[in-house]
Amino acid sequence: MFNTKKPIKEFGKLYEYLKDHDLREKEQGTGHLDVRDADFSGATFENGFIGIWKNFIFTNCLFPASAAFQLKETTGCIFNMCEFGPGRKDVTMDFGTMKNCRFQKCKFTNGNVTFGRGEAIFTNCEFENTTSSEYSWNYFIGGDTLLLDKCKLRFYNIIGEIKLHMRHSDYMSRGAGPMGSGRKQYTADFIFEDTRLENAEKILWNEKINNLTLRGCQVEGKFSTQQASIKESIVLEKLKVGTYHIARTGTEKKITVRDCFFSEVEKERNSLFSCSGGYAAEVLIERVECSNAAPCNLTGATHETTESFRRPTPRNQTFTLRGCKIPHLMVHWLMSYNLIIEDCEFGKLEMPNGRFGNVTIKNTKFDSLDLTNTLAGKFDIQPSGKIVTAGSNYPQGGYKIDGVK
């Protein structure tokens, strides 16, 4: 893949143009310039500062991940089949503000590379940290907005301050989160699409992000958000491989789970899927199917949960299940202004200790419905199977849920 390279210092004027943008613009303008088969290992730049790279096409070049490269701006550049690294763990190669740049079939090995404002786009690239161990400090790539398509990552941390979008990729983290040390502010959206995730249980460890999307991903083992804080929304779509524990996130706006099939059991909690559905203002569970291997738990509460789980007032405005087929569904201790279940099929539907404004269950089949100690302002339930009502005010309703005028 990589040919023999010669030192960049031997490239004459090209080397001068890389060091001096004003000179390059004066003599050559800003048209594309090709740099091929160059080894930047011996490059020397005054005070480690090289200003601006604009409209260069780098092909089959080698860049050490060195502090000597501290660009202010990289614009209109294409990196084809280039190598980055190795470098010390306490220094970074910095491309500065990124504008209309792409990395294609590049390889990053044992080096830190950062990008400033703008978007860094990677296609068919590889990132590998060969020094990784369970407790080691990972190498990383980082920037405001990172888009990775068809990439392979092994033990590399990823820092996306505004947006991290990974699709059609294979990502093995060390299991300490993309940031490694934890994000301080809710500034980023993380999107993983059609991507294989390994060591995913702690991939978001200590993270603080705005929104999380998993779409069409395959998880090796368990994906967990329990040690993360996701402020606004969570979207899970077309998931069929792995277990997912979406709990204790503090999500304020919406949780959406759509077109998923859960069949693998998370042994610690004995569930196929679990989430803290009572925390978000809106929850939509749509066209979700589960095997009968274990329950699906939408609140995180169980039969052993006590009154301390209940909040003084509900956060959830609307909790909707539509078109689902779940043999054993647990919705324990849920507080919501509106619970809506439509066009679903259940074996055991457990809703004990709930507090609701309105409960609507229509066009839905269930073998049993557990409403033990559940109170609602109004019940609108089309009976299908056995209903357990000890301690409940079903069917008359009349409960005044806190916060409803």
Side-chain angles (χ1 to χ4, degrees), residues 26 90 106 153 187 213 254 258 356 375 392:
K26 178 181 177 181
D90 59 344
C106 295
L153 303 96
T187 58
T213 298
K254 189 172 183 179
R258 180 184 289 122
F356 303 103
L375 306 176
S392 173

Side-chain angles (χ1 to χ4, degrees), residues 231-232 250-255 276-284 314-320 335-338:
K231 186 175 183 181
E232 294 192 356
T251 303
E252 296 177 0
K253 290 188 177 179
K254 189 172 183 179
I255 297 174
S276 297
Y279 284 88
E282 184 177 355
V283 173
L284 174 61
R315 295 175 58 168
N316 182 260
Q317 304 291 316
T318 304
F319 198 108
T320 303
M335 296 179 67
S336 175
Y337 296 127
N338 297 284

Side-chain angles (χ1 to χ4, degrees), residues 63-66 84-89 91 107-113 126-132 138-140 154-156:
F63 299 88
S66 166
F84 297 85
R88 286 166 34 193
K89 289 193 173 183
V91 299
K107 185 166 185 178
F108 297 75
T109 306
N110 299 345
N112 302 320
V113 183
E126 294 185 15
F127 304 82
E128 185 175 11
N129 175 10
T130 64
T131 69
S132 181
N138 275 14
Y139 288 102
F140 64 88
R154 290 293 179 267
F155 307 114
Y156 248 84

Side-chain angles (χ1 to χ4, degrees), residues 8-9 15 19 40-46 48 50 68:
I8 186 61
K9 289 182 179 181
Y15 181 44
K19 293 196 297 180
F40 282 74
S41 300
T44 56
F45 304 99
E46 185 178 357
I50 53 178

